[in-house]
Amino acid sequence: QVQLVESGGGSVQAGGSLRLSCAASGYTYNMKCMGWFRQAPGKEREGVAGIYTIDGDTYYHDSVKGRFTISRDNAENTLYLQMNSLKPEDTAMYYCAAHSRACGANTWYAHPGYNSWGQGTQVTVSS
């Protein structure tokens, strides 16, 4: 069992930055694939960024490429999402997730495959 706790959300103006953190505890040795997802009211949950912890490969939704960076501090068991040049359309609840299987460019965003989820942290970007 893995427990995930997100933090770092908040309200910023367009063009601003935020860094989300996801602290993991429990059976963290088994987390092979981790990701950040977001869900806005009335919209489907979508993958924002993912990382395959075995080799460090990272993956991004097209809408955040060049603006968001996913990273992991293995020593601290913490996943990060650095978000720069934020836009109003980035407004959503952001969730951290993990699972114990391999993932790649065509699978990391499949949210039904994740079996550990955090409670979410709200990001609001005003124009």
Side-chain angles (χ1 to χ4, degrees):
Q1 193 80 340
V2 173
Q3 292 79 43
L4 303 172
V5 179
E6 303 97 333
S7 61
S11 296
V12 296
Q13 290 192 324
S17 298
L18 284 172
R19 188 175 82 154
L20 305 184
S21 299
C22 172
S25 60
Y27 291 105
T28 59
Y29 68 90
N30 212 25
M31 296 188 303
K32 292 187 176 67
C33 188
M34 300 190 74
W36 286 98
F37 292 78
R38 66 187 179 188
Q39 188 166 19
K43 294 190 176 181
E44 294 286 320
R45 186 169 297 191
E46 65 178 6
V48 176
I51 184 168
Y52 183 42
T53 65
I54 303 302
D55 60 15
D57 277 356
T58 57
Y59 317 100
Y60 296 94
H61 190 279
D62 284 346
S63 67
V64 306
K65 284 180 181 176
R67 300 189 297 123
F68 291 11
T69 303
I70 188 172
S71 62
R72 185 177 183 226
D73 183 329
N74 291 330
E76 297 293 329
N77 277 327
T78 302
L79 184 72
Y80 298 101
L81 184 68
Q82 178 66 44
M83 306 186 295
N84 298 327
S85 302
L86 282 161
K87 304 176 181 180
E89 51 263 44
D90 294 318
T91 295
M93 184 72 78
Y94 283 69
Y95 300 90
C96 170
H99 67 70
S100 59
R101 300 177 304 282
C103 61
N106 295 322
T107 58
W108 70 270
Y109 50 83
H111 60 83
Y114 288 79
N115 53 11
S116 296
W117 290 85
Q119 82 289 348
T121 186
Q122 178 68 37
V123 172
T124 302
V125 185
S126 58
S127 57

